[in-house]
Amino acid sequence: MSVLSSKLDQKYYSMGEKAGDQECLNLEGDLEELRETFNSGKTRDASWRRSQLKAILNLLKENEDDIFRALKQDLGKHRCEAYRDEIGTLTKSVHFALDGLKKWMSPKKVHLPIIAFPATAQLIPEPLGLVYIISSWNFPIGLSLEPIIGAIAAGNVVVLKPSELAPACSAVLASVINKYLDNKAIKVFQGGVSVSQQLLQQKWDKIFFTGSSQVGRIVMAAAANHLTPVTLELGGKCPAVVDSISSSWDRECTFKRLLGGKFASCAGQVCIGVDYILVEKKFVSTLVSKLEIWVKKMFGDNPKECMARIINKHHFMRLQNLLSDPLVKASIRCGGSFDEDNLFIEPTILVDPPLHSAIMTEEIFGPLLPIITLENIEDSVNFIRSRPKPLTIYAFTNNEKLKNMLISGTSSGGITFNDTLVQHAADTIPFGGVGQSGFGRFPPWDDKKLQLFRDAYRYDYIGIGLTFLGLKKY
């Protein structure tokens, strides 16, 4: 562990632990203050909403190094990955909210039947009130501040409960939110399960939860006591359908995007990451050999330098146990080594593990990638349909018939063709799952990649070109 990480502990943890204890003791008082703030009408004002959104921009800019260090300490994330998946997406989301705020707040006229003449009608957007956000550990900054951005833009007051499994990030969030945002309208409660349970027992106007389906059931049951509306961002086994590719360029692009969608984002600990691949038997040998080559190109001889680590020993052992079945272990084609001291698992590819095994019935949430072979790629539709609905389906194909079969024959939160993860960055399309999944971007990392991410999230197309050509300082 670096000296900087140790200093981060000293800077945030002592304050964070005390704040967490105090907030638990003053729970009723804090929530009453939030309700009073909301009832005062303060958060309905456009100027308040804009000021808080702009404060988040300053928070991200002025605390970027601390956020990088916290993400490195909790998850081993490289700063390029941290910017791409958390700081950059948040910056983009704030600008999107600022640009859309006036339109979102404006009343909308609706048409009435002639019989109602001369009456008129409007739909007036109204904030819900007191919002409880429970964030997860795999994107501890992004999945905390992203829903806060939406809640603020809609004029709500907010309580955030960060994940205790990412303690450095939790402490940073408590510190910077307290410093930059309106403490009478936005509060952070740190702590473990007991704190979450105390908060869930309160009456809320909205609960936003990101995490596992098991905990999602607990959240939904608690919300039912007060008939509180919930948004559950859960997970699922997201398949990637790989059809025959028509050109060499398509093939190379496919391999990079498959690996990027599995290993290059939080070491596969991401709900929208590729969980397994479906491919025709006749293509599997080519696919495996090419993926092995690209794993080496992207992550080098020492993947620890650019890949995130597993969040804790419990999840490390869970992933190790997925390979404990002898038939699963026998299906490993590359990788498979574990470094328990550093909580690191190298990219591992398997071919045709038993379909009844845990690796094919549970969400993997780690750097293990099964490949399942089919006689015909069209069989992928029935394969996906026979299993719980995924959060996302990825399909690499130029076959319009297969695309239509997947669209009409399966149900998921979304389908992305010929890419992975990119849908998460698109502001103009909804993000979410169905059923049990809930209601240029590749390593190796360097300063040039980081600057490209900065330019991309600002939509600075000239900057992207200059950086790509090496004509811009980074």
Side-chain angles (χ1 to χ4, degrees):
M1 186 176 294
S2 68
V3 174
L4 287 175
S5 295
S6 298
K7 287 182 178 178
L8 184 71
D9 283 346
Q10 296 167 7
K11 180 178 178 181
Y12 289 110
Y13 272 106
S14 58
M15 179 281 300
E17 289 170 0
K18 290 176 183 176
D21 292 340
Q22 185 179 3
E23 286 168 343
C24 287
L25 292 173
N26 297 328
L27 180 60
E28 291 295 338
D30 285 337
L31 296 185
E32 184 58 33
E33 182 180 43
L34 289 168
R35 292 189 183 98
E36 289 177 0
T37 299
F38 181 74
N39 290 334
S40 73
K42 177 182 182 180
T43 64
R44 293 173 178 264
D45 191 80
S47 63
W48 181 87
R49 302 186 200 192
R50 288 191 179 278
S51 70
Q52 297 303 296
L53 291 171
K54 289 178 180 178
I56 292 178
L57 286 177
N58 292 332
L59 179 161
L60 294 169
K61 182 178 180 180
E62 295 170 12
N63 297 276
E64 186 175 278
D65 288 340
D66 283 340
I67 293 171
F68 281 159
R69 284 192 287 268
L71 288 167
K72 183 69 173 179
Q73 183 171 331
D74 283 337
L75 286 154
K77 288 190 179 184
H78 190 282
R79 59 182 184 151
C80 282
E81 181 182 341
Y83 189 90
R84 180 196 65 180
D85 292 349
E86 309 216 34
I87 295 176
T89 56
L90 288 169
T91 301
K92 177 181 62 64
S93 292
V94 175
H95 285 298
F96 183 75
L98 286 169
D99 290 343
L101 192 60
K102 182 178 179 180
K103 180 180 179 181
W104 299 343
M105 293 180 65
S106 299
K108 295 178 177 62
K109 288 185 178 181
V110 294
H111 295 291
L112 294 175
I114 295 176
I115 197 171
F117 181 83
T120 60
Q122 288 183 324
L123 294 176
I124 301 176
E126 181 178 307
L128 292 171
L130 185 53
V131 176
Y132 178 28
I133 296 170
I134 312 169
S135 64
S136 66
W137 51 261
N138 55 340
F139 297 95
I141 304 297
L143 292 178
S144 293
L145 292 177
E146 188 82 47
I148 286 180
I149 291 168
I152 288 173
N156 297 289
V157 294
V158 181
V159 164
L160 170 67
K161 166 59 179 70
S163 173
E164 70 278 11
L165 299 184
C169 290
S170 177
V172 168
L173 284 165
S175 174
V176 297
I177 287 175
N178 181 64
K179 179 180 177 182
Y180 284 82
L181 301 182
D182 184 345
N183 299 154
K184 293 184 177 181
I186 302 145
K187 295 184 183 293
V188 181
F189 284 66
Q190 295 190 85
V193 175
S194 63
V195 175
S196 297
Q197 289 174 339
Q198 289 181 62
L199 289 166
L200 277 175
Q201 291 168 10
Q202 307 303 310
K203 187 179 188 315
W204 305 93
D205 297 300
K206 176 77 174 185
I207 298 176
F208 188 103
F209 169 75
T210 305
S212 68
S213 56
Q214 292 90 338
V215 179
R217 292 184 179 93
I218 296 171
V219 171
M220 196 166 185
N225 291 327
H226 299 290
L227 296 178
T228 301
V230 297
T231 294
L232 302 179
E233 293 292 352
L234 307 177
K237 295 183 73 66
C238 300
V241 178
V242 180
D243 191 14
S244 57
I245 307 301
S246 60
S247 69
S248 59
W249 184 90
D250 282 345
R251 283 199 298 270
E252 300 306 299
C253 193
T254 294
F255 304 140
K256 287 193 294 183
R257 291 177 178 180
L258 282 170
L259 294 176
K262 178 60 176 182
F263 302 122
S265 188
C266 203
Q269 300 169 107
V270 50
C271 60
I272 59 171
V274 175
D275 190 274
Y276 63 93
I277 294 174
L278 297 172
V279 69
E280 290 186 355
K281 287 184 179 179
K282 60 185 177 182
F283 294 118
V284 70
S285 296
T286 300
L287 178 62
V288 171
S289 63
K290 288 290 187 178
L291 289 179
E292 286 187 76
I293 292 170
W294 274 103
V295 164
K296 188 88 167 180
K297 286 183 179 180
M298 293 173 70
F299 302 105
D301 295 324
N302 186 12
K304 293 178 190 176
E305 294 180 356
C306 60
M307 272 184 69
R309 64 170 175 79
I310 307 306
I311 183 64
N312 57 28
K313 190 170 182 179
H314 168 74
H315 282 281
F316 182 90
M317 297 306 296
R318 178 187 63 81
L319 289 164
Q320 200 169 41
N321 288 337
L322 290 180
L323 301 182
S324 61
D325 183 329
L327 292 177
V328 173
K329 189 172 290 188
S331 70
I332 295 175
R333 292 295 179 268
C334 75
S337 69
F338 291 73
D339 180 352
E340 186 172 344
D341 291 338
N342 293 298
L343 296 178
F344 181 79
I345 301 174
E346 72 170 325
T348 301
I349 297 173
L350 310 91
V351 174
D352 283 329
L355 296 182
H356 63 270
S357 61
I359 201 169
M360 286 307 300
T361 56
E362 301 174 8
E363 185 178 9
I364 295 172
F365 227 66
L368 313 179
L369 178 58
I371 298 174
I372 303 300
T373 61
L374 305 169
E375 291 297 332
N376 299 293
I377 199 63
E378 291 79 10
D379 295 338
S380 60
V381 175
N382 288 331
F383 188 96
I384 295 168
R385 193 162 49 194
S386 68
R387 292 169 173 256
K389 295 177 181 180
L391 183 58
T392 298
I393 296 171
Y394 300 108
F396 289 84
T397 180
N398 295 318
N399 186 326
E400 294 300 322
K401 180 181 177 181
L402 179 59
K403 289 182 182 180
N404 291 330
M405 287 177 64
L406 287 165
I407 292 170
S408 61
T410 64
S411 178
S412 63
I415 298 181
T416 299
F417 291 108
N418 300 315
D419 209 340
T420 57
L421 307 185
V422 68
Q423 76 280 7
H424 177 59
D427 296 313
T428 52
I429 57 175
F431 175 80
V434 292
Q436 292 185 34
S437 63
F439 309 171
R441 300 164 289 109
F442 311 109
W445 303 129
D446 53 32
D447 288 342
K448 181 177 180 179
K449 292 277 179 68
L450 178 58
Q451 185 59 49
L452 282 170
F453 293 141
R454 294 187 194 278
D455 295 336
Y457 284 126
R458 298 183 187 119
Y459 299 113
D460 181 0
Y461 302 114
I462 295 175
I464 292 172
L466 292 175
T467 300
F468 187 78
L469 295 171
L471 301 177
K472 186 175 182 179
K473 184 179 179 180
Y474 47 83

